[in-house]
C-alpha cells in the first residue's frame, strides 16, 4: 500500500491499518497483524506507528511493527533508527538502531498507577537511552525500570545535576560511572544487594 507521503506499507496476512497524514505528523494505527513500513524521508513530519499503547517514530527508515494483544507492539528496525515508547512515557523512549528489536506490552491501564511499561525481552546490545540535559535522578529512574541492578542516589544535590549522553539500556554501571564523574560523586557497588550507590 502506497501512502500519500510516498511511504510504503507492506501488510502481512491479517494486517489492518488506519492512517492520517497531516501537515505536522504522519500517523499510522496498526489495528491488527504485522506491517513493514518503508518511510519516505521528511524531517519536518515524524512518521509514528501506533500499536495499541506502543508508539514507534521515525523520519525516514524501514521497520516492522507487530501487534501484541490489546495494548502491545513489537518493533524490528531493518534500516535507520526508530524511537519507541509506551503510552505517555515519551521521555522514557528507547532508541533502536538497525537490527534492533523491542517488544512492549503495557497491559490494561491501571486506575491509579502511571508507571511506564517495562520492556519485554529487549535487545540489550541495541536498545539505548538518550539523555539530553536530563537530571541524573530522572536518568537513574529510566535505567532502574529496565535493569535488575538498581542505581541509588543518596545525595539529592547529585540527582539534580544534568547529564548528556547516549548509553546502552543494559549498562547501568557505565551510566553510573559517567554520572559520578560529572557530579564529582563517590561510586559504591554493592554486589550482594545488586545496588550501585552515588554519594
Amino acid at each position: 500500500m502506497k501512502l500519500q507521503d510516498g511511504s510504503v506499507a507492506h501488510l502481512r496476512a491479517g494486517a489492518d491499518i488506519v492512517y492520517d497524514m497531516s501537515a505536522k505528523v504522519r500517523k499510522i494505527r496498526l489495528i491488527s497483524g504485522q506491517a513493514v513500513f518503508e518511510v519516505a524521508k521528511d524531517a519536518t513530519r515524524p512518521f509514528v506507528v501506533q500499536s495499541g499503547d506502543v508508539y514507534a517514530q521515525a523520519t525516514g527508515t524501514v521497520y516492522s511493527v507487530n501487534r501484541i494483544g490489546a495494548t502491545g507492539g513489537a518493533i524490528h528496525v531493518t534500516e535507520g533508527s526508530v524511537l519507541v515508547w509506551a503510552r505517555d512515557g515519551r521521555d522514557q523512549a528507547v532508541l533502536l538502531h538497525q537490527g534492533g528489536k523491542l517488544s512492549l506490552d503495557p497491559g490494561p491501564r491501571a486506575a491509579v498507577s502511571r508507571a511506564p511499561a517495562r520492556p519485554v525481552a529487549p535487545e540489550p546490545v541495541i536498545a539505548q537511552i538518550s539523555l539530553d540535559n536530563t537530571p541524573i535522578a530522572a536518568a537513574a529512574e529510566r535505567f532502574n525500570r529496565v535493569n535488575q541492578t538498581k542505581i541509588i542516589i543518596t545525595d539529592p544535590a547529585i540527582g539534580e545535576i544534568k547529564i548528556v549522553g547516549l548509553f546502552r539500556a543494559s549498562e547501568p554501571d557505565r551510566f553510573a560511572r559517567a554520572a559520578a564523574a560529572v557530579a564529582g560523586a563517590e561510586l559504591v557497588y554493592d554486589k550482594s544487594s545488586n545496588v550501585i550507590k552515588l554519594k
Side-chain angles (χ1 to χ4, degrees):
M1 178 186 295
K2 191 166 185 179
L3 307 180
Q4 296 170 349
D5 68 326
S7 298
V8 178
H10 301 270
L11 306 183
R12 303 300 190 220
D16 185 19
I17 66 171
V18 176
Y19 61 91
D20 178 23
M21 302 289 173
S22 72
K24 294 184 178 180
V25 67
R26 298 171 287 174
K27 188 172 183 180
I28 310 290
R29 279 198 304 124
L30 180 64
I31 307 301
S32 62
Q34 181 184 25
V36 178
F37 300 95
E38 296 180 22
V39 182
K41 294 187 183 298
D42 186 346
T44 64
R45 288 195 301 165
F47 189 96
V48 181
V49 178
Q50 178 183 356
S51 175
D53 287 336
V54 175
Y55 299 83
Q57 175 182 313
T59 52
T61 186
V62 179
Y63 64 107
S64 67
V65 181
N66 187 21
R67 184 66 181 257
I68 298 177
T71 60
I75 291 83
H76 180 197
V77 182
T78 305
E79 179 184 309
S81 59
V82 177
L83 202 61
V84 182
W85 70 94
R87 290 189 176 140
D88 54 356
R90 196 180 189 287
D91 59 336
Q92 313 296 332
V94 174
L95 182 65
L96 299 180
H97 294 291
Q98 182 175 338
K101 299 178 183 178
L102 183 63
S103 296
L104 289 175
D105 190 357
R109 286 183 179 268
V112 178
S113 173
R114 293 175 59 85
R118 297 173 68 92
V120 179
E123 288 286 336
V125 175
I126 301 298
Q128 295 180 319
I129 292 178
S130 177
L131 305 174
D132 184 9
N133 282 326
T134 304
I136 289 175
E141 288 179 8
R142 292 175 65 177
F143 281 93
N144 288 345
R145 289 190 181 100
V146 295
N147 290 284
Q148 290 185 340
T149 300
K150 302 304 179 186
I151 301 170
I152 296 176
I153 301 171
T154 59
D155 183 352
I158 294 174
E160 295 175 0
I161 297 172
K162 295 183 178 180
I163 187 169
V164 175
L166 186 63
F167 301 89
R168 288 179 180 173
S170 61
E171 294 183 343
D173 53 336
R174 180 171 168 265
F175 161 75
R177 287 196 300 271
V182 169
E186 181 184 353
L187 189 65
V188 178
Y189 186 24
D190 185 349
K191 292 185 178 180
S192 61
S193 57
N194 216 26
V195 166
I196 301 174
K197 292 185 178 180
L198 283 169
K199 60 182 185 177

